[in-house]
């Protein structure tokens, strides 16, 4: 449920931003940094865009290759996979090479994100879209609080680090700090959304409901992710910056 909601909401929000910035039917040059299994990258390739996926994890890269191998030839031809670190985009690509750069679920593993973000912004052509999905540091108390772990909830108010469900100690980001960073790297924040307001505490093993009920989940999450004050307490923030 949690990953399904994340991918659905991010897809809706990303499509909305792309439609607002680029002519209908334009084949965009997309870079997905830390693409994981390639869910969003493959979806955009199916929509006709030219996609490059950059991934440093060998297991994730193998999974993405297997998924790509099952796609029709036309999609495979416009999809490129590269093994590499998102902090080294300048090694692989020239500045201004892409219309859209995605960096979803990556910054929490980067101790000092500002240099990486500056590198991602340099990859964008003028008017290009930078899409970031980050853990919301201003809502770190929500998950333990709703689980009834009030000691952990109290501690979460004074930190921007947390232990994720993989057991890894990682970091979260604050909206105001990222807003300032994006302004400083010439890709100021254009729009932002909350992702997983209501479903963040659902068990990883929870089965998806039927289509009718799932549509209601998506609708409620979509509405909350666009509405104050709900979006401010979402587990994840989806930020969209535009290259000046």
């Amino acid at each position: 449920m949690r990953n399904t909601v994340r991918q659905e909401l991010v897809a809706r929000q990303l499509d909305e931003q792309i439609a607002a910035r680029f002519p209908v039917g334009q084949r965009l040059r997309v870079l997905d940094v830390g693409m994981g299994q390639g869910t969003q990258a493959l979806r955009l390739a199916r929509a006709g865009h030219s996609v490059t996926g950059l991934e440093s994890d060998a297991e994730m890269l193998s999974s993405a290759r297997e998924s790509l191998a099952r796609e029709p030839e036309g999609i495979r031809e416009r999809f490129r996979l590269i093994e590499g670190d998102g902090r080294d985009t300048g090694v692989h690509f020239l500045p201004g090479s892409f219309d859209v750069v995605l960096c979803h679920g990556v910054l929490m593993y980067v101790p000092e994100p500002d240099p990486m973000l500056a590198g991602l912004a340099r990859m964008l052509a003028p008017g290009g879209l930078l899409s970031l999905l980050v853990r919301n540091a201003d809502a770190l108390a929500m998950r333990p609080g709703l689980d009834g772990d009030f000691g952990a909830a109290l501690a979460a108010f004074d930190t921007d680090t947390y232990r994720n469900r993989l057991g890894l100690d990682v970091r979260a980001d604050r909206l105001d700090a990222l807003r300032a960073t994006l302004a400083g790297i010439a890709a100021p924040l254009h729009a932002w959304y909350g992702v997983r307001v209501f479903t963040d505490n659902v068990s990883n093993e929870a089965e998806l409901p039927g289509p009718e009920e799932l549509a209601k989940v998506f609708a409620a999450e979509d509405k909350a992710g666009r509405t104050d004050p709900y979006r401010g307490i979402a587990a994840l923030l989806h930020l969209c910056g535009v290259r000046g």
Side-chain angles (χ1 to χ4, degrees):
M1 171 72 87
R2 296 168 72 252
N3 188 56
T4 299
V5 168
R6 164 185 158 167
Q7 299 294 354
E8 175 68 20
L9 268 289
V10 169
R12 293 185 184 193
Q13 295 156 3
L14 187 57
D15 286 351
E16 179 178 88
Q17 292 302 314
I18 288 174
R21 298 216 60 78
F22 302 102
V24 175
Q26 179 178 342
R27 178 173 289 187
L28 302 174
R29 300 164 299 165
V30 179
L31 172 63
D32 191 348
V33 174
M35 67 170 185
Q37 296 176 340
T39 301
Q40 294 297 329
L42 280 170
R43 187 183 67 82
L44 290 169
R46 294 181 192 119
H49 303 301
S50 176
V51 178
T52 299
L54 185 66
E55 176 58 56
S56 61
D57 185 274
E59 186 175 338
M60 288 292 186
L61 202 58
S62 176
S63 178
R65 286 196 179 103
E66 290 176 4
S67 297
L68 184 60
R70 294 191 289 268
E71 296 291 329
E73 182 180 358
I75 293 176
R76 297 198 305 271
E77 288 177 347
R78 57 176 175 265
F79 199 113
R80 180 169 53 147
L81 288 170
I82 297 177
E83 185 172 3
D85 194 295
R87 290 168 288 195
D88 298 325
T89 49
V91 173
H92 301 283
F93 316 109
L94 293 174
S97 295
F98 299 96
D99 304 301
V100 179
V101 172
L102 314 181
C103 184
H104 297 166
V106 175
L107 288 190
M108 57 271 292
Y109 300 105
V110 180
E112 298 293 338
D114 286 6
M116 178 175 169
L117 289 172
L120 298 183
R122 284 193 292 271
M123 296 301 103
L124 286 169
L129 179 68
L130 176 60
S131 171
L132 306 174
L133 187 70
V134 303
R135 186 74 163 90
N136 182 9
D138 291 320
L140 287 180
M142 292 298 296
R143 185 182 294 174
L146 292 174
D147 279 340
D149 186 348
F150 297 107
L154 285 169
F157 283 105
D158 301 314
T159 184
D160 61 359
T161 62
Y162 68 103
R163 179 160 292 181
N164 66 15
R165 295 198 177 191
L166 299 175
L168 301 175
D169 292 321
V170 290
R171 48 173 297 283
D173 288 282
R174 300 187 189 279
L175 176 63
D176 287 346
L178 281 177
R179 188 194 304 272
T181 297
L182 291 173
I185 61 175
L189 185 64
H190 177 72
W192 69 277
Y193 309 85
V195 175
R196 284 208 317 251
V197 175
F198 303 124
T199 55
D200 187 56
N201 281 57
V202 174
S203 168
N204 287 339
E205 289 74 38
E207 295 184 3
L208 289 176
E212 185 174 341
E213 189 63 25
L214 185 60
K216 293 178 183 178
V217 172
F218 290 155
E221 286 280 8
D222 185 67
K223 181 71 171 178
R226 302 166 182 270
T227 305
D228 291 324
Y230 300 101
R231 64 177 179 165
I233 59 168
L236 304 170
L237 298 178
H238 182 197
L239 290 78
C240 299
V242 175
R243 181 72 169 171

